[in-house]
Structures are given as structure tokens and as C-alpha cells.
Amino acid sequence: MKLTQNIILKFATVALVFTMYSCKKETNAVSKNNATTQTDQAHPKLILTAQGVKDIRAQLGDIPIFDATLEAVKEEIDAEIALGIDTPIPVDYSGGYTHVRHKRNMIVMQKAGVLYQILDDEKYAKYVKDMLMQYEALYKTLPLHPKTRSYARGKLFWQCLNDSNWLVYVSQAYDCVYNYLSEDERVKLETNLFKPFADHISIDSPQFYQRVHNHSTWGNAAVGMIGLVMGDEELLDRALYGIKGLKLDTKEKDDDGGFLNKDGKAGFLANIEEPFSPDGYYNEGPYYQRYAMYPFLIFAEGLHNVKPELKIFEYKEGVLLKSINTLLNLSDADGDFFPLNDGQKGMSYYTSALVTAVDISYHFGIQDAGLLSIASKQDRVLLDDSGLAVALGIKNGKSEPFNKQSINLSDGPKGTQGGVAILRNDDVELVFKYAAQGSSHGHYDKLSYSLYEKGEEVIQDYGLARFVNIEQKGGGNYLKENKTWAKQTIAHNTVTQNETSHFNAKYEIGSKHHSVLNYFSSENQNVQVASAKEVNAYPGTEMLRTMAIIKDEDFEKPYVLDIMKVTSDKANKYDFPYYFLGQVVQTNFKYSVPKVLTALGDKNGYQHLFVEGTAKASSDNSKLSWLNKGKFYTLTSVTNDKDQLLFTRIGANDPEFNLRREAALMLRRKDSKNTIFVSTIEAHGSYSPVTESAINSNSNIKELKVVLDSADYTAVQITNIKGKVKLFITSNEEDSKKVKHNVKINDKNYEWSGSYYFE
Amino acid sequence: MKLTQNIILKFATVALVFTMYSCKKETNAVSKNNATTQTDQAHPKLILTAQGVKDIRAQLGDIPIFDATLEAVKEEIDAEIALGIDTPIPVDYSGGYTHVRHKRNMIVMQKAGVLYQILDDEKYAKYVKDMLMQYEALYKTLPLHPKTRSYARGKLFWQCLNDSNWLVYVSQAYDCVYNYLSEDERVKLETNLFKPFADHISIDSPQFYQRVHNHSTWGNAAVGMIGLVMGDEELLDRALYGIKGLKLDTKEKDDDGGFLNKDGKAGFLANIEEPFSPDGYYNEGPYYQRYAMYPFLIFAEGLHNVKPELKIFEYKEGVLLKSINTLLNLSDADGDFFPLNDGQKGMSYYTSALVTAVDISYHFGIQDAGLLSIASKQDRVLLDDSGLAVALGIKNGKSEPFNKQSINLSDGPKGTQGGVAILRNDDVELVFKYAAQGSSHGHYDKLSYSLYEKGEEVIQDYGLARFVNIEQKGGGNYLKENKTWAKQTIAHNTVTQNETSHFNAKYEIGSKHHSVLNYFSSENQNVQVASAKEVNAYPGTEMLRTMAIIKDEDFEKPYVLDIMKVTSDKANKYDFPYYFLGQVVQTNFKYSVPKVLTALGDKNGYQHLFVEGTAKASSDNSKLSWLNKGKFYTLTSVTNDKDQLLFTRIGANDPEFNLRREAALMLRRKDSKNTIFVSTIEAHGSYSPVTESAINSNSNIKELKVVLDSADYTAVQITNIKGKVKLFITSNEEDSKKVKHNVKINDKNYEWSGSYYFE
């Protein structure tokens, strides 16, 4: 009777949305009933499998990392059970009590379900059942969430995104206790909770669901996973291909300024197709890839288990598993993801989503032994078949180091929209971004870079302006400074022309363009180079940046060579900042500090920079040395005496202390048409406050000189303090690595094949 | 012949200094000759002993931490030997090549000497001999060091202090190779190198040597140690008691503004007597105590070995060994010393001086098992008898945790000049300073404090303004900002009256006074309290500060209660800063941020503070929450609506970026005569960028209220968010802990014995 009632209610709701839905509804009712009878014995089948449970039980007690994870989860869930169940009426934004509680509940249910299967202890099944029944009672009473800020409000949470998170986890819990429940209980839950829940985040919220966007991926996975458990083919279909027949306005935008659905694509497969490049680079960057990975992989695992015929892990040439390797490569030496675009610093491969990713990649991929060493660092595994495989691998001593090397990652669905190059040598890592816009989370920073040593930032990318889930800071959401500062070009280590951001910081324009690779070369262990061009950021201006990490026996550590060639059809003002972190140690130029700090400008991010010092640059090389976390660094930049140098500090016009007070040295060159910025950054020496000894605290470079700069070639001569001279020539129009080059510099002929010359 | 020649030369020099010296010289020549014949067989005897060497050799290979240290030292010294010997002509300040090389040579010789003894391998002895002979050849040609900045220039180094460091180490090396050298070689070294070296740092530099100061301690130890090795009683006498008959001008000052020799005391024993309180607190603070410890202890060890009849470790009731325990207690949870007065942050018990201290304390003290756990963390031991004892203790599993608890340390030679109290509860540590001036390294910060959680600074003490040994930053020496900022009262967490520092920042006045303990109470595990009074910092104004760490079951972590009662004979302006570290999360008051940053004042440290925000305080409680390194903190302060709140940032008028850009919230109260500042600081919750969950991010305090403030008592009522009320009453004029108190508040009688009431 309840079922009928619910269908009638649903019909009423649905009629308000669009008429096609009523046809679907009937299909669904049928398939669900079929499923219920067919699959009673097959559960669990989604993530844990019946066979997997048998294998795990057989090995328990003899698989250390699995046993330890299980013990920790058991402790955690036993404590939760002791606390009792709370399913409060939703009222809060992220960080508030009801938000946190419902978020916690989804995790707790998923874990309790797993414990029931592995430990075969009914107390966990009962706990899941009791909580589900409370949700069933609650959910059917719920209107839209009272907080109105989201473009797609949920019911349990203020945004459908969080509702979807919940269903992704709870589907797993439901699968685990499926056989424990009576058919009546299942019907009750499916009819009053799961089905309407899935409908709300999809059919009722197409602006959220029917997109290519990380939000939609969660939505698709949620609908698909509950569909797999319920055996509901219609839900599965909706998950894989989107809401059939529904077209959204292609010009509408979401909260972040991204288009809702520019191309009309939707569904899980489209969400794999679009954002991942063939190299497995996710267009929004690693922070959002990490967030999106969980639904991608957990739903894929479910599909693999329940619908093996879909061959989901082979889809788009195996891009899902490939993307995990890519994501791991987008982390620094400590495992922290590079904060490209909107990325919160400190997010790392220690996050639980990456435990999922690493375990699934190991189990369903090629059993890469390097993944085992990361799993060991994570110190926990999934409590499922893949976690068992990892635990056995570690136990059997198969673990090997995960070696990150220089890598070039293409961007765009077909890999033709620029990319991200990571140069690595010893402890030095340079991340060079020449990608496409990166969807609504993209920053306006073509040809920008950040630099790391041993996992510590040397030249930083600011990341996002947000304190995720800290409710007191703007509800834990994006702060307005994300737009006014973090996304602007001047917040990044690249060229800003005439104090305006790339593409005028307009998403519509930026999302049409991408930079283009000139060349990437990592064959020579000692010279790793990436070179790329951007011609659209400022119409009429071309920027070609070539960045190298060079290991030279006369230097203590590898150093960075940075050549930014700017060609324009008119004279401009160029600003070229270096966001160094740490304490100024020395400069070779005289600077003066103002009595009063004023903002450098009034818009495009400049309004957030205080000027702390000003100088006329040196006529040949301007040098700045600084000390950060016990290491010395020196920037040497080719300058002329018309160049200005500015010490800036972030924090002007920041009425709520949302920004970090961090420094930069900015090179400003006015009235220039074509110009070139050349610099080196050396990491050198160390300082310990315990021994109080300063080792190798001075630059090893005597002179940096541009000896040729033509349309075809740029040549830079590097003289060290002992007088040894090295020459780097880069090809500015590289067609093929095979081509022979020949160039005369100061009456000497240089001939080589390949993209650059260094000797 | 050489000896005679040298004596004649010396006489010539000495005649220029003062006539009494000629008498001494003869005594010395005699005693040295005696020694040379008497003690040939007894070496090594200073630090390593002949018996110790036997014991070590017998145990080698079976004492892990000792074996590992030995192996590391062997590797280090073998590498140095391979590089060859360099004894350059001295030209540089600290951090420069010749400085660093000579400093390195002294360490290398000391270690090579030890290796020779333990490994019985002549290559090490030869290396020491060759280097000593180079020094002999060099030293006799040297004029004063060419750099003129020091009040007492050395010959190898720019200051006698470093020359003394050198001799302290090289004495040990000489002792180790003594028997390896021929008598002729010894005579040559003693005549041309050691004796004139000892004379230069003492007789030729009385302004350095003849004082009670850490510099002099090094000088005394250097002279005494070489005297012990040479068997030169006159040198030993000079070391223990100072240069006989010499009186210095008691009004002269050194580079740091300290008096050269106010009381006319000198010599090693006076240097133990004066700066150490009976509790083992060293008047300059832990950073300098750490520096001074090495010569104190290494010379004491030598004295103990060669002159046991002096009973040096029992001197002044065993204060030397007691001071080691005190110094360890003056470190935070990570072992970093609290930066009281001039202290460079990051200096910790991992410094080699503390390896010496811990090992000597264990061996010559009561074999405290807690010291073994620190030795284990240090992961190395002295390669001598005491290091052997520690290594055996660790090997035999005797190690126990070194438990740091709340402790009150008196200051002053007799323990009557105020002190330092450290309150500890769980992970929270509060350092409350009510000491004397702290010699020339003292800061003007009576009744100031700093706060730590798990070794991280919560409310910081700025420390010194200096980059020790980083040559580019002012030669590695004190920067002018040390005086203009770091020493000023406003740089500290205490009251500044009328924008002037305590004692007007005048050393002559400050060094006459000290604060006075009201009471210290650590009997109750849950309530640890220190209370002290200062009546001289501002004539006519009395400050009584009572600080408590309270552990309350309704709070997640222990919190700080801070009561500063100010009584004055006139109306003043009081500034009360909180140097919090981290990001502002929330305030309960509205503030505005200026467009342009200007300095708060023009002198007494105020010229270094930019004003970043201003507010009118709340009429009852003003609250600030912040986030630092993944933890939340909240300051709740009793304010009235005439109070001003200022967000400040260090860094104004800092033309060479010598200061760190760190923040404070400053409470400003104008036109007040008698007033009281009451606040709590809660540590609560956590935030992880990996899980992105913010736990317990809000204050647990609803209201903080002063319910009584009389000459005798102050009572503060703390109401938590659940409405539970606690009352803290402190006795403002405490005579004895036994006394019975009785006070009526809001018609209720409170009766208790002891210094405070809490319930």
C-alpha cells in the first residue's frame, strides 16, 4: 500500500517537473520489483562481494594493514554505536552541527555495513537498519533544506552535492545489510527513502545533475550505486547517460560562474569523457580530481562488480586507472597535491579518497608495486576485495618506492588543450601550467609555475581563498577574495600586462582558449625542460615561456632557469612577480621602504597587494636571497636600470583577514613592446637554529646574460662564481625534436638537434 | 732557547699591560716545567681519562648509541682529513669563510683527538699534531683580528669569545695527543700557541675576561682547561678566581649595553655564583644558559677529573648539575628552549651543548633515568666516560620518560630576585616571567608570558632580532631592531603604560629591580597558578598578574585564565597585546580595516607596528578566535565600550626586512588609573586540510565577569556555553599559604585556605 501511495505522490511531484518522466516511472517500478526477487542471495555485490567477504574472513588476523584498519574502524564504530543515533532536522551550512552529523552518519553507516559483513556480527547490521529507518521517517517529511545559498538545494544538506555524497556511502551500507533486512523493510526504504532521494538529486535538480562537472559525477554515482543495489535499471541508465531527453539552457551559470551545461552532455560516461585528458589529467586540477575520484572509482568498482560487461575500467583507454597515477604524480614530495586552480593547500594522498584510489588502482590495474608503498604510508586500506589485495601485496613484501619523475600531462578531452608539465630533479620540483581554463574552478594564470624543494613551497601558488568547512569563514565556502584575489593573474607567478588579468578574468573568454606546448624534454637527466606558448590571454601579445631545471656539477642543487619571451603589437606595462616564502636575507639592489603602506592598485587583484619596498633594478642582474625553513634560495634576474622592483605583501583591502600576509618581489617593466624576462632560482645551503651554522648561504651565479633573442632562438649565458660559463639555447618555434639547429652567437657556431642546447 | 725568547717577548708585552703580571709570569714558568715532567703518563685526564679509555675500548661494539656516535664522528673526521688542513689568515666576521673554518677546525681537532684515544689509530693524532703546528706557526704572526666591531677583539676570530671557544675545544684535543707528542713539540706548542693564546683572552683582554658574564665563563674555561692539561697552576688559578689584583671600571659597558663589571667579581667560581639561582636558573635565560652550559660543564668535568679535591659538582649546593634539570624544564614539548630575553627560536636540547649537559648530569649526578630518554632522542652521546655511562644505561633499558611538570624557578644568586614560573597541564604550557633584568640580554617585559600547545607557539614571545651566524644579516650579530623592537615592552605580552617601556628601557634602572612572587601553586593537578607583582617598572604604578591553567571537565583542553590588576597614582593609557600566531577565524566585535597602513607610534617599539584593524570593544566580553597549525584558539577578554581594540602587524620601519610580519590583537584602555585586565585563552578543536573537517571550532565560554576586585581579592566568574558557572578568587596580598580567607561576593560567603579559590 505504501508503495502505491508513494508512486502517486511521486507522480504529483514529477508532473511539476516534466511530462516525459511519467513513462520512466513505470519502467522503474517494474525493474525494481524484478530486482528485489532476483538478487536476494547475491548481496553484498557492490563494493564488497560475497566471494570477497569469504576471502577476507579466511585471511583475517594474518594481513597486518587490513587487520589494523579493521580494528581502527571497529573501535570507531563501536564508539559511535555507544553514542546512539542522531538524525537531526537539517538546518546548517557546512561546518554546522546538522551538516556535520549527517555527513558523519553516512560514513558511519558505510563502515558499520562493512563490519557486519566481515565480522558477521548482527549488532552492526541492526545499527545500520535502525539509522536507515530513522532516515526513512525523517526524509519523507523534509522540504528543501532551509539554507538558500546553493543553486541546487538538497534536503539533508544545503546543497544536492552533499546529499549525493550521502547516497554514495549509504548505498554501500544498504548493500551490506540488504540480506539482513526483510523484504518489507527493503520496500519501505527503497520507496520512501532511496528512490525519492535519488530522484531529488537528479530529476528534481537537473541544474545539478545534468552536467559535466564534479558535482554531477557525485550525483551520477549516487543514483547509479543505489540503482545497482536496488537492481533498478532505470536509475542505472539515468546514472550512466543522464536524464533522458532533458536539455538545459546552455548559457546558464552556477554559483562559481561556470556554465551549467554548455554542450548538453550529461551522465557518468560523459563525465569520464569530458574532464579527463587521455593522460588522465582532470581539467579542474588535482584538488578537485581528488574530490571527484571517489565517486568515479567507487561507482566504477560497483559497475565492474555488478555489470562487468560494461568494462568500465577499460573505458576511454583505461583513463580512470590512468588518472590515479596522474593524480599521484600531481603531488609534491610529501604527497600534498599541487594547488593548481582552486586547491586547498595541505590536501594530500593521505585523504581517504586516495586510499580508495590507490587500492582500486592496484587491484583492478596492473598491481603496480609502487602503489603499495603509498598504501603503506597511508597506513590503512579499503575494507573490501581491493584492500585485501593491497594488504596481501604489502604483507608479501612486494612494495617498491613510487618514483615520481618529470612528466608532461596533456589537458582536454582529446589531450589537445595544453597541459601541465612537472619537472623534477633530486629534491626540486617545478609545476608549469599551460593548460585550458579548468572549468569554473580555473584560475587566470597561463604559463604560471610554482616551485618546491622536498615538499616545501619555494615559489608558491596561492591556491584558493577559502577555509573549507570552517563555518565561521563564510560558511566554509568560497570567499569573495577567491575571485578578487586568488583567481586573478597577479596572484600567480606569470606575466600580468597593464594590470589586467588574462582574458580580462572572463570565464566565457578564458574557457575558449588554452596554451600550446612548444616542447617538453625529459630525456636528459640533468636538463629537464618544458616550453609553451600563450597567444590569447592578451590579444595582440604572445608569451612564450621556457622553464628548465638544470643539474650542474658546479652547483650544490639543481637550479631553475626561466625564460619568458613576450612579443606584442604595442607597448605595455608588464608585472612579473615571484611569490617567494620566507625571510629576506640579501639583495644586490638598494631599496627603500615606505613609511605608510598603500595598495598597489584598485582592481584585478592589485587592490590586495601592499607595497612594502621599492627599488630601481640593477643594470644587469638583480638578486634576492631569502631563507625559508632552514634553506637558502637566490633569485637572479636579468634587469635593466629602467626596471622597477617592488616588494609586495598580500593583505590590502581584506576586511575579514581572509588572506595570508605573504610576500613577493615584483619586477615591473614599463613601456615595453617586445621583451624578455630571464631569471634563475637557486636552492642552496641550509641553516639550522640548533647548530646555528649557515652553510653555503650565497648564490653560485656571478652573471646571467641574454646573448641572443630572435624569433627562432633565445640564448642565455650563465656564469658561475668560479667563472665557468654555460650556455642554454632554446628553440622558440619547435616543430619536431628531430630537427637540426644551427645558430651563430658572438661569432661562434652552435649546432645541435633537439629542442634546446645546453653546455 | 725558544722558551726563553718567548718569555722575554711576553715580558715586553706584559709590561704594557700592568706591572703585577711579571711576578706571576715567573710562578707560571716554574709550575709548567713541573707539570710537564709529572704528568707525562697521566694523559688523557681532562675529559677522557686513561681509565675511561680502557673501559670504552672494552665495551666497544656492544653499546649501540655510543658505537653509532663513534661511527658518525669517524666518518666526519675521515672526510675532513681527506680534505686536508686549512688554517687561513683571519679576516671575517661570523659566517664568513675564515671564521667558519677556524670554528670547524676546533671541533675537528677535538673529535680527532678522541678518535685517536678510542681507536688507537695514529693517523688521528698526527692530524691533530699537524694542525696544531700550523696554528703554532700562524698564531705567533697574528696581530689583533682586523674586524673592529668587538669590545674585545680576538686573534683567530673577531672577538675573544670565539678565541675562547677555540681553546676550550683544542685543550681537549691537546690532552688526547699529549703523550703522542715529543716534549719538544709540547714545549713549542705551549710556549708559542697555548700560553700566549690564554694570555690574550685573559690578561690582554680583561674587559672580556674579568667579568661575571657568559663571555667570561668561556674565557675562564679556556684558560683553566689548557692550564689543567699543561699542569699550569697559575693558569688554573686565573681561571678559577680571575686575574689577581685587577679591578675594572665598574661603570663601563659592553656592546650589548651591559655593565662590564659592576661588582668587581671575576673567575669561574664567581661565574657560577652570580648568574645561577639556587634553583639553577641562569639569569640571562635558557638560550644563553645553553650557550654557557658547555664551558661550565666541560671545565667542571675537567676539574672533577684532575682536581677532584675541588668538589666542583658540589659547589653552591650542586647548582651546576641542578641547572641542567632546570634548563631541560625550560624547553617546550619539542625540546625547544623558551625564548626568554634574547633567545633565538628553534634552539633546543638537540644542540651538542645539551648532549654534554645531559651526559655529564647523568654520569656525575644521580643517574636520573629520565635523562636517558632525552639522550635517546638526541641520538648521540659524548665520546667519553659520561657518554659511556649513558650508552650503557640506555642499552640496559633503564630509560624512563623525562616528565616536565609545573615548576617555579627563582632568579638571582640567592634566589630572591623574582623568577620564572612554568605552568603545565596536558599539552598546554605557559611561561610566566617575573624575573630580574637578565643581564645585558634581558628584555623589558616584567610579568609577561608566552603560551604553547604541544610545542607550538600559541601566544608568542618574539625572541631576539638576530640571525645568528647568517653573515648577510648584519654579520650574524644583533640587529638594531633587537633594541628598537625585540627588547621593548610592547613586543611582549604584558602591559605597556603610556607607550613607554618598563624602566624606560634603561638597563641601569632595570637591572636594579626585579618582580616579586605573590604565590605559586601547583599542588592541585587541575588548577596551576602563578601570581607576581611588579612595582618598579613604572614608578607610581603597581601591576599584579595572576595566571592560571585550569583543567575543567566541561572543557576539551585546559584553558588559561589571566588576571592583570593595575593600580596607579594617576590616569594612564594601557596597551595590552596578545601576540597570537595564525589566521583570524572570528571576532564578536566589528572592526574596520584601514586603506593605508601606518605605524602605531614613533618610538619604544611602536614605530614597528602597523595598524591593520581598529574596533570599539564590546561592552562585556570581546572575543577573537584564530586557527594555527590545525588548531583553534579563542581569546575572551573582559572589556568595556571605551576600550579600543587594534589589530597590529610587526614590520613598520623595518628597512632591511629584519622583522617577521606577525600579528597581535591589542587591547587599549585610556584614561585609566586603577584597572584590571581579565581574559581567558582556550585551545580547542582541530582542523585538518586532509579530512577537511573542523572539530570543536567554537569557544566554550559564554561569559567572563569580574565579580569582585578589591585590594585583597579579585574574583572572576566563568560561565560556559551550557550555563555552568565557575568562580576563581585570587588573593592579591598573599602572606602564607596557610592563611584562612573569607570573602563575601554577591551576598554569598566564600571561605578557603590557600592562595586561591576555584569551584
Side-chain angles (χ1 to χ4, degrees), chain A residues 561-605:
Chain A
L561 174 62
D562 175 14
I563 303 170
M564 173 71 101
K565 183 177 168 67
V566 182
T567 316
S568 187
D569 56 10
K570 64 177 201 309
N572 297 297
K573 177 167 80 174
Y574 301 113
D575 286 333
F576 199 81
Y578 301 87
Y579 284 94
F580 71 96
L581 288 171
Q583 190 85 26
V584 171
V585 167
Q586 200 175 29
T587 63
N588 75 338
F589 52 87
K590 275 194 188 149
Y591 55 90
S592 59
V593 300
K595 272 278 174 200
V596 162
L597 301 194
T598 53
L600 182 56
D602 56 10
K603 58 180 183 297
N604 303 329

Side-chain angles (χ1 to χ4, degrees), chain B residues 279-325:
Chain B
D279 288 337
Y281 179 76
Y282 184 78
N283 71 344
E284 299 186 347
Y287 178 73
Y288 276 94
Q289 179 167 358
R290 168 275 327 174
Y291 183 64
M293 276 329 276
Y294 186 77
F296 273 119
L297 294 176
I298 205 76
F299 184 29
E301 186 175 1
L303 285 168
H304 175 91
N305 287 336
V306 185
K307 299 277 174 191
E309 65 274 19
L310 270 175
K311 296 190 177 170
I312 189 69
F313 284 121
E314 290 165 41
Y315 191 76
K316 198 179 174 183
E317 297 182 22
V319 75
L320 282 180
L321 297 181
K322 206 183 280 179
S323 74
I324 299 171
N325 182 60

Side-chain angles (χ1 to χ4, degrees), chain A residues 627-645:
Chain A
L627 173 67
N628 192 38
K629 301 195 175 175
K631 299 199 180 77
F632 293 99
Y633 301 93
T634 298
L635 164 74
T636 303
S637 199
V638 178
T639 51
N640 65 64
D641 56 12
K642 285 181 197 147
D643 287 346
Q644 233 188 319
L645 291 167

Side-chain angles (χ1 to χ4, degrees), chain B residues 111-282:
Chain B
K111 288 180 173 175
V114 167
L115 289 178
Y116 166 61
Q117 284 295 338
I118 295 177
L119 299 177
D120 199 16
D121 181 341
E122 288 207 353
K123 107 174 152 184
Y124 299 108
K126 181 172 183 306
Y127 178 70
V128 173
K129 181 180 110 175
D130 291 350
M131 199 186 289
L132 286 176
M133 288 302 170
Q134 283 201 19
Y135 271 110
E136 185 269 346
L138 174 72
Y139 192 80
K140 59 193 180 195
T141 70
L142 291 181
L144 279 184
H145 192 282
K147 296 286 190 199
T148 58
R149 196 190 289 159
S150 174
Y151 74 103
R153 286 150 74 188
K155 289 190 164 184
L156 283 184
F157 300 90
W158 67 281
Q159 51 178 352
C160 276
L161 174 61
N162 298 121
D163 278 38
S164 301
N165 302 154
W166 189 91
L167 191 55
V168 163
Y169 284 90
V170 175
S171 300
Q172 299 172 56
Y174 181 49
D175 181 44
C176 283
V177 301
Y178 194 95
N179 286 345
Y180 172 80
L181 299 170
S182 70
E183 185 167 348
D184 278 358
E185 287 164 343
R186 290 197 297 261
V187 169
K188 187 174 174 189
L189 288 173
E190 295 188 7
T191 311
N192 299 333
L193 180 60
F194 297 135
K195 189 63 178 28
F197 200 110
D199 287 345
H200 176 71
I201 58 176
S202 55
I203 291 166
D204 297 353
S205 310
Q207 75 280 25
F208 160 79
Y209 188 82
Q210 195 77 344
R211 302 173 66 189
V212 169
H213 190 282
N214 73 67
H215 288 191
S216 309
T217 303
W218 277 99
N220 303 153
V223 169
M225 287 173 77
I226 198 66
L228 287 174
V229 182
M230 290 164 59
D232 186 326
E233 295 289 337
E234 191 278 329
L235 285 182
L236 181 60
D237 190 71
R238 199 192 295 169
L240 293 173
Y241 308 107
I243 305 165
K244 273 202 183 137
L246 172 69
K247 295 273 177 238
L248 291 182
D249 179 347
T250 56
K251 286 187 182 146
E252 252 188 275
K253 288 190 190 174
D254 68 8
D255 299 357
D256 299 325
F259 287 113
L260 275 181
N261 199 331
K262 202 156 58 102
D263 307 316
K265 293 183 183 166
F268 189 67
L269 297 179
N271 267 298
I272 298 176
E273 200 61 56
E274 283 294 306
F276 288 107
S277 80
D279 288 337
Y281 179 76
Y282 184 78

